[in-house]
Structure formats: C-alpha cells, structure tokens
Amino acid sequence: MTIPAEIDTPEIIIDRDVLQRNIDRMAAAVRAKGLHLRPHVKTHKVPEIAEMQLAAGAVGLTVATLGEAEVFAEHGAKDIFIAYPLWVGPRQAERLRRLAAKARIAVGLDSREAAETMAASLGGAVGEIEVVLEIDSGHHRSGIAPDAVVGVAQAAARGGLRVTGIFTFPGHSYAPGMPLKAMDEERLALGEAAGLLTAAGFPIAQRSGGSTPTATLTAGDSGATEVRPGVYVFGDAQQLELERCAAEDIALTIAATVVSRHEGTDLMPRRVILDSGSKILGGDRPGWTTGFGRLLDHPEARITALSEHHATVVWPEEATLPALGDRLRVVPNHVCIAMNLVDDVTVVSGGKIVDRWHVAARGRNK
C-alpha cells in the first residue's frame, strides 16, 4: 500500500479491509472451536472497532480499567468484563454502580482482602456486580494459585458478592516456543480451579482465557468457555516474530518519513533516521525481538534505537538505501502502546483515506 499523499508523518494508519478480515477470521476460528469470543479492547480503544467485533459475533468486551469500561458502555456495549484485580473503594464503587445501570459488569478479583473491601464499598449494590476470580496459570503476575480459589470465593460470598467465573492471562505465551506450553498450563489451571469451586458449591459459568498467541490454539476441551485476545485485530511486530501472524495480516502501521540518511563507514552503520520515535512507536522491546519494530515493506531492515522523535534504522549493504523524504510503513512492537499515544487515527481502504477514528479510551487508565 502506498501511503496517501494527504498524510503528514508520523501518523497511525489503519487498513480497514485488513482489520475486517482479521476480525472475521478470529470470530470464525473461535466459533468453530465451540468457544465464545470476548475481545480485549484495550488494544485499540476505538468504539468503531468494538462495534465491528460485536457485529462479527463477540459476546461482549474485555477492558482493563473502569475508565475504559465507562467509554465503551457510553457507546452502547452491554456486556463488559474488567479483567483486572480491582481494588474497589467508595469512589470506584460508585462508578461501578453507574456502570451496572447500563450494562452487565463483571470485575476481576484475586484476594480475600479485595473481596471484603469491594463488598463493603458496594453496600446495597453488592449483588449488581459479578466477580470473576483471577488464576495464575504460569505468567506469575496477578492471580491466585488454583488451589487457593475456594477461600477467596468464600470471602467474596460472605460479603454478598456473586462469584460467577474464573479467568487467567497466559502472558508467558508472548515468547518464542511458548504458546503451546502456555495453553497447556492454562488448561490445567482453569480445570483445577473450576473443579474445586464447583465442589465447594460455586457454579462457575465463565472460564475465561486466551491471548492473541494462544486464542486459536485453545479448544473446547481446554477448560475455557471463552477467549480474550486483543492484538489480533491489528497484528504487530511481536506477533510477526512469533509467527502468529503474517505481513499481510498487519492492519496498523505508522507512516514515517526519512529525515536523515547515512551511507555509513567502517566506524558507523549504514542507516536512515525516521521521524517515528518512541512517542508514537512506544519503547517496548522484549529481549527476544530483533529491534524496536519492523518495516513492513523492508523486512531485512532493523530499528536498532529509538529516541523520542527518532528511529534509527540500520540498512543491509545489499539493499538500496531509501532517499531523504521517502515515506515508509513501520510496525510497532506492541500495538497497544502505540494506540494509547495518539488522539486519532487515519483509516484507509483500497489505499484511500475513508475515515478518521477517535481513540476514545486513550488515557483512561483509572
């Protein structure tokens, strides 16, 4: 795709045709496995994209914060899961009460103390919010061990909270060779936790798992009833390097201009500088990645350094070095961060600008 001449750089461009294809493909793959799809909209933060996902068959939305939930509820979402171990004091409780008047709201929980505080803060509205217990399935971030779920569930129930499900995030799937292992550990953790809770008298209807690297690997016998992928709508450089998507699946790129050019010497690398620095690409670089992003049309090039407004791209000797003023398409390593750095994005179809979308949930981090 040629970058439209009307675009000034750096600018996030979303190819609506590729986006729609990605949405439809994931919806079909999850449906074929007998699972529900509850996509994580923290990736894009755009109501128009959430509408596309719901139209394709998603049963609801996943968010990370109360602020994100408020944005998508305001735009009509009726089933929202805040997949985060919220600490709910009086102010958060009031926001949850207002949300529950608009949509089905479920929130994450991973401790007895959080359950007791949430119940006390919600007061008479305690029965309006569903609680989903977070299980650690190997990522070792938040979440309780599967064998500890009953005590937390009982603390929640004593306070009047409704425990309706369990969830986990197999975040360790974001590394080479790890998706299958992470999926297997997710299956074991969800199975153990669900079994213990059911035996203790807690009917568990929602067993939620799945990340973009594992979502299409998860099956109905995995112990999950739904998956929560997010990055799949766009793809990014991490997914490219994990081979969980191909170049033709990348729906979001950053249009960038060559602002400095150097043929290189024995002491300095052959390189160009783009105007897409960390303030639009984000600074994520897991240790296993080969750079700070990829160039979609030049896979042999590597982004070796980022400053706030500079991206240093080392160019191989056998390839033609771009000219000053050339415009290139950059794929960020972590697309969720890139989307949270801009107010609006340009939408194209067939290489032509067709819309501008506001990143409505940008910055809604609390």
Side-chain angles (χ1 to χ4, degrees):
M1 183 193 81
T2 302
I3 297 170
E6 309 96 294
I7 289 177
D8 292 327
T9 65
E11 170 75 6
I12 288 182
I13 301 175
I14 295 174
D15 188 316
R16 191 178 65 189
D17 305 322
V18 179
L19 172 68
Q20 186 69 66
R21 188 171 72 237
N22 291 345
I23 289 171
D24 291 343
R25 182 170 56 221
M26 180 63 78
V30 170
R31 187 165 50 245
K33 291 177 178 291
L35 300 169
H36 295 305
L37 177 63
R38 185 181 295 277
H40 209 315
V41 296
K42 74 175 178 65
T43 292
H44 56 73
K45 304 178 184 290
V46 175
E48 288 88 344
I49 299 178
E51 290 171 9
M52 294 168 69
Q53 293 172 303
L54 291 167
V59 298
L61 304 178
T62 303
V63 300
T65 68
L66 277 166
E68 289 177 352
E70 288 164 342
V71 168
F72 287 98
E74 186 65 29
H75 283 84
K78 297 301 182 185
D79 191 329
I80 301 173
F81 172 33
I82 306 173
Y84 192 86
L86 289 182
W87 185 265
V88 177
R91 289 187 299 277
Q92 292 81 8
E94 178 56 33
R95 293 168 72 185
L96 281 172
R97 283 193 287 269
R98 291 196 298 267
L99 277 167
K102 298 179 180 179
R104 176 253 178 185
I105 301 296
V107 303
L109 188 68
D110 81 343
S111 70
R112 300 183 189 200
E113 295 84 353
E116 292 163 356
T117 300
M118 184 185 301
S121 297
L122 284 168
V126 69
E128 298 176 16
I129 306 298
E130 296 182 30
V131 167
V132 185
L133 303 183
E134 183 174 12
I135 310 302
D136 179 7
S137 61
H139 187 42
H140 305 318
R141 191 173 64 180
S142 51
I144 48 179
D147 61 6
V149 291
V150 173
V152 177
Q154 289 171 338
R158 283 194 296 270
L161 291 167
R162 292 186 294 138
V163 178
T164 60
I166 54 177
F167 79 105
T168 191
F169 174 57
H172 50 312
S173 62
Y174 285 83
M178 287 300 293
L180 286 171
K181 182 176 187 295
M183 183 194 65
D184 191 52
E185 291 177 342
E186 172 188 281
R187 176 182 60 80
L188 293 172
L190 288 177
E192 180 181 357
L196 290 170
L197 286 167
T198 301
F202 292 94
I204 299 302
Q206 182 179 3
R207 301 187 301 278
S208 186
S211 59
T212 290
T214 63
T216 57
L217 301 174
T218 304
D221 61 356
S222 66
T225 60
E226 68 177 29
V227 290
R228 308 185 317 277
V231 174
Y232 77 96
V233 292
F234 297 141
D236 60 16
Q238 290 187 81
Q239 298 306 310
L240 275 175
E241 296 208 19
L242 289 172
E243 298 183 343
R244 302 309 300 164
C245 74
E248 58 267 26
D249 302 323
I250 298 295
L252 181 150
T253 53
I254 294 166
T257 299
V258 177
V259 295
S260 184
R261 181 182 188 275
H262 305 271
E263 282 291 352
T265 67
D266 291 341
L267 299 177
M268 292 186 295
R270 189 167 184 257
R271 69 199 185 279
V272 296
I273 306 300
L274 304 178
D275 59 0
S276 53
S278 62
K279 285 190 171 179
I280 193 163
L281 277 178
D284 263 19
R285 185 186 176 182
W288 51 267
T289 58
T290 61
F292 288 92
R294 299 294 290 271
L295 271 63
L296 189 58
D297 304 305
H298 303 278
E300 72 283 1
R302 289 293 180 272
I303 302 174
T304 59
L306 287 182
S307 303
E308 291 181 63
H309 298 283
H310 303 69
T312 301
V313 186
V314 172
W315 220 263
E317 291 296 331
E318 65 276 11
T320 302
L321 197 66
L324 287 165
D326 280 356
R327 287 141 66 93
L328 308 176
R329 294 190 294 166
V330 183
V331 184
N333 269 343
H334 189 175
V335 73
C336 307
I337 292 178
M339 283 296 288
N340 199 45
L341 293 172
V342 298
D343 293 320
D344 301 278
V345 296
T346 296
V347 184
V348 301
S349 176
K352 298 184 181 301
I353 297 175
V354 295
D355 211 343
R356 292 277 295 173
W357 287 341
H358 179 54
V359 187
R362 180 200 176 190
R364 297 298 297 267
N365 297 322
K366 59 184 178 181

